[in-house]
Amino acid sequence: MGILSWIIFGLIAGILAKWIMPGKDGGGFIITVVLGIIGAVVGGWISTFFGFGRVDGFNFGSFVVAIIGALVVLFVYRKIRS
């Protein structure tokens, strides 16, 4: 995927991760995008490592993997910040 696609995909995954796991996080829009992009990459790496699949485009499986990765990254981010 191109960089613009990763940013859009990461934004959506980051917003949904914050919606699923609400809390007081600072940063706003930029942090949401960054957490979503990192989450998509982490989720893709973890799913590929364990043989569940990979993030390879705009499809449902990649979207679920990206959201799970964003949730993991958001959890770690909150633990580090507190």
Side-chain angles (χ1 to χ4, degrees), residues 8-9 46 77:
I8 293 169
F9 205 59
I46 290 171
Y77 175 75

Side-chain angles (χ1 to χ4, degrees), residues 18 25-32 77 81:
K18 280 195 172 187
D25 300 324
F29 179 77
I30 300 297
I31 294 299
T32 299
Y77 175 75
R81 291 240 358 192

Side-chain angles (χ1 to χ4, degrees), residues 53-74:
R54 61 179 193 254
V55 177
D56 59 356
F58 278 90
N59 57 44
F60 184 73
S62 297
F63 194 61
V64 170
V65 166
I67 292 171
I68 291 170
L71 286 169
V72 170
V73 169
L74 183 59

Side-chain angles (χ1 to χ4, degrees), residues 8-33:
I8 293 169
F9 205 59
L11 171 65
I12 295 168
I15 288 171
L16 287 175
K18 280 195 172 187
W19 180 71
I20 292 169
M21 196 166 68
K24 286 189 147 191
D25 300 324
F29 179 77
I30 300 297
I31 294 299
T32 299
V33 172

